[in-house]
Amino acid sequence: MNIQEAYVVTPTIPAEEIARVKALGCLWDKNTPDCFNVRVLTRNGKITAEESQAIAEGAKKFGNGQITMTTRLTMEIQRVPFDNIEPLRVFLAGYGLETGGTGAKVRPVVCCKGTTCQYGLIDTYGLSEKIHERFFKGYQHVKLPHKFKIAVGGCPNNCVKPDLNDLGIVGQRVIKRDYDACKGCKKCKIEAMCPIKVAKVTEGKLAVDGCNNCGRCIGKCPFHVTDEFETGYKVYIGGRWGKRIAQGRPMDTILTSEDEVMDLVEKCILLFKREGKPGERFADTATRLGFDEVQKLLLSDELLNRKEEILK
């Protein structure tokens, strides 16, 4: 590599214009003097065939014909000349598509395909779309101390790494085991199929220590020990990837309804808005305040009761 190759090309677009279009989801391509990569929002990774065709046509007409996907499941049209940005946005709007996904605010929500996956325990598409509408779109003009990322996972396989997001939600099946019905089978079907090997027959009775609520054992016992369950949502707070990685910590309480989840998401955003310092990620805010204090606030209604005051 020579000296010239080691440096980024100097942009010919004024800095204030680069900042303005970045807020619209158009990021300067450092390998060019005047081209931008334009992020097209999806419904947490889902688009229709018609929308896909529109994005492809937009890439051909206004960019260099190439498209990439971001880690937040947006579609990024590559190398759009500055003068083509607004025509491209108008073209996409004709198909109900928007650009965006940058800035110190709620970022595009991501989710796994738990709705259709054989291991999915919750409707990840439905829940993430509700979060998208209420918080990504509804809080679009709320400036936060830093970006705020949300991920919805359908099961403890954690394919979209919910615990590495500012707020992560993981589907659960909380089993109400009838230990009295256990016959202490020498070849216990629950013990044999437990994927994390925490189910054991000890002294003639099933014992489970450290269950991750994956639900794989539901209905597998011929004596109905694991027939009854409740669908739930484990919530992780304070995760982050990047230069400094932080693994989110699960709340002690497993939520049992979507309404509880939606309220908790809002409380987290309000807490970050009120308590976060400029440039500070939610992980740092939670660490500074202390997990117990954060959890106490999130399990109360104080933040919702002061919503108008916080958002002023």
Side-chain angles (χ1 to χ4, degrees):
M1 178 181 292
N2 60 37
I3 293 176
Q4 285 74 22
E5 290 173 331
Y7 291 91
V8 173
V9 175
T10 301
T12 57
I13 307 301
E16 60 270 20
E17 282 298 284
I18 291 177
R20 180 183 68 82
V21 297
K22 180 179 180 180
L24 300 175
C26 310
L27 288 79
W28 173 55
D29 185 326
K30 67 178 183 180
N31 299 301
T32 73
D34 64 348
C35 288
F36 294 75
N37 300 322
V38 179
R39 292 181 177 176
V40 186
L41 299 176
T42 67
R43 287 173 297 282
N44 317 327
K46 285 182 67 181
I47 53 175
T48 66
E50 182 182 27
E51 289 167 341
S52 179
Q53 290 171 339
I55 293 170
E57 187 176 348
K60 290 179 182 178
K61 283 186 174 182
F62 304 101
N64 70 350
Q66 295 184 355
I67 302 165
T68 63
M69 289 201 71
T70 72
T71 57
R72 303 307 294 176
L73 302 182
T74 60
M75 307 292 288
E76 197 171 88
I77 295 175
Q78 301 291 288
R79 294 204 177 180
V80 177
F82 178 79
D83 291 340
N84 282 358
I85 289 177
E86 200 50 41
L88 170 59
R89 282 170 39 83
V90 171
F91 173 81
L92 293 171
Y95 293 87
L97 294 165
E98 303 174 85
T99 65
T102 59
K105 53 187 177 181
V106 177
R107 291 292 186 88
V109 184
V110 300
C111 78
C112 71
K113 50 172 287 183
T115 301
T116 59
C117 176
Q118 62 177 319
Y119 301 121
L121 307 179
I122 59 173
D123 179 8
T124 53
Y125 291 152
L127 177 57
S128 62
E129 285 185 30
K130 289 177 183 177
I131 295 172
H132 174 88
E133 288 297 321
R134 182 165 158 184
F135 301 114
F136 174 74
K137 297 187 80 170
Y139 273 63
Q140 196 170 41
H141 301 296
V142 175
K143 184 174 176 57
L144 298 174
H146 209 302
K147 56 191 171 187
F148 190 87
K149 296 180 176 180
I150 305 169
V152 180
C155 78
N157 284 346
N158 288 344
C159 294
V160 292
K161 310 299 184 291
D163 57 337
L164 291 178
N165 281 255
D166 296 283
L167 175 66
I169 301 157
V170 180
Q172 304 274 277
R173 288 281 164 85
V174 183
I175 299 170
K176 302 174 182 178
R177 299 178 185 87
D178 182 3
Y179 288 112
D180 291 337
C182 176
K183 306 299 183 185
C185 301
K186 289 184 179 180
K187 291 187 177 181
C188 173
K189 291 189 176 182
I190 305 305
E191 181 178 350
M193 63 76 56
C194 179
I196 59 172
K197 307 303 179 187
V198 297
K200 304 285 184 183
V201 174
T202 304
E203 298 180 353
K205 283 290 183 179
L206 177 69
V208 181
D209 183 21
C211 178
N212 68 357
N213 301 320
C214 71
R216 305 275 190 91
C217 65
I218 292 171
K220 297 297 190 297
C221 174
F223 301 104
H224 312 293
V225 173
T226 57
D227 283 5
E228 298 295 322
F229 69 91
E230 186 173 27
T231 297
Y233 308 82
K234 179 182 282 188
V235 178
Y236 289 87
I237 57 175
R240 175 184 62 213
W241 69 68
K243 297 179 184 69
R244 292 192 300 124
I245 296 172
Q247 186 165 19
R249 182 169 170 179
M251 294 184 63
D252 296 335
T253 301
I254 292 179
L255 306 183
T256 56
S257 74
E258 281 195 357
D259 287 342
E260 286 182 299
V261 173
M262 296 297 284
D263 283 347
L264 192 86
V265 173
E266 187 157 33
K267 290 174 186 178
C268 282
I269 297 169
L270 292 172
L271 175 64
F272 191 34
K273 172 71 174 173
R274 186 180 77 175
E275 303 292 344
K277 296 180 179 179
E280 178 179 70
R281 289 294 297 272
F282 187 55
D284 300 317
T285 304
T287 298
R288 178 166 52 78
L289 297 177
F291 178 82
D292 290 341
E293 178 63 23
V294 169
Q295 181 168 239
K296 179 182 175 182
L297 281 168
L298 295 179
L299 292 176
S300 74
D301 290 329
E302 178 189 338
L303 293 161
L304 291 180
N305 292 338
R306 297 186 175 181
K307 177 178 175 179
E308 290 187 12
E309 172 191 333
I310 294 170
L311 294 179
K312 280 183 181 178

